[in-house]
Amino acid sequence: EPEVTQTPSHQVTQMGQEVILRCVPISNHLYFYWYRQILGQKVEFLVSFYNNEISEKSEIFDDQFSVERPDGSNFTLKIRSTKLEDSAMYFCASSEQGINEQFFGPGTRLTVL
Amino acid sequence: KQEVTQIPAALSVPEGENLVLNCSFTDSAIYNLQWFRQDPGKGLTSLLLIQSSQREQTSGRLNASLDKSSGRSTLYIAASQPGDSATYLCAVARNNAGNMLTFGGGTRLMVKP
């Protein structure tokens, strides 16, 4: 069964460093998303991406964040200069169409020291 | 701004019991509602998707209902098993192009053998 994959599963970085989180969405899906979950808190939407551009972004997704689809299979989230409060589980998701079911990857746990 | 609330926050039941998890949302202008299962430290597994025009969806021992006008959804689990122990999240997709999901805080379910 097709699934969303994410790498790495765990990333440890120093405050101020850049990180890139990688995702491979399900192959025939057209919509891609990033969410995050700070420990003990709700899952929060970051950004949605369709047709090579951002469809919507939340207040969390400021200038420190960017997304890219560098090729036909990968979808990346870059955090330019990490802060302690960026420590969270980051989930990638994809859907066939915008109104369809969203399928989530296993997540990348980001720890900022 | 959409707010999603799940009650109860935690639930412990003996194996075999039928149970109901509740989800409420403040803005009825939704595209769909999705129920997820999350195991500790893991990603989100989609269980059921209900489109805004539907009243219920069934998958195996799970049945989800949606009353859009009153802003409520329930997830019914029949004949619960210890393997059902997990956190159950509901999320609503807003009626716009970005299709962002707004999540509730979840119900942590423990089914005791």
Side-chain angles (χ1 to χ4, degrees), chain A residues 31 33 35 37 42-45 48 55-56 89 91 98-107 109, chain B residues 4 31-32 34 36 38 41-44 46 49 51 89 94 96-101 103-105:
Chain A
Y31 290 76
Y33 314 84
Y35 295 82
Q37 186 177 33
K42 291 183 179 183
V43 176
E44 302 173 287
F45 169 80
S48 58
S55 302
E56 187 172 12
M89 183 77 97
F91 294 109
I99 59 170
N100 292 137
E101 195 171 3
Q102 292 186 25
F103 293 89
F104 281 65
R109 181 171 301 283
Chain B
V4 182
Y31 252 162
N32 58 50
Q34 206 166 341
F36 295 90
Q38 185 175 31
K42 304 289 186 183
L44 281 64
S46 179
L49 171 78
Q51 298 291 355
L89 303 173
R94 203 171 68 192
N96 74 341
N99 306 306
M100 60 173 279
L101 289 177
F103 282 80

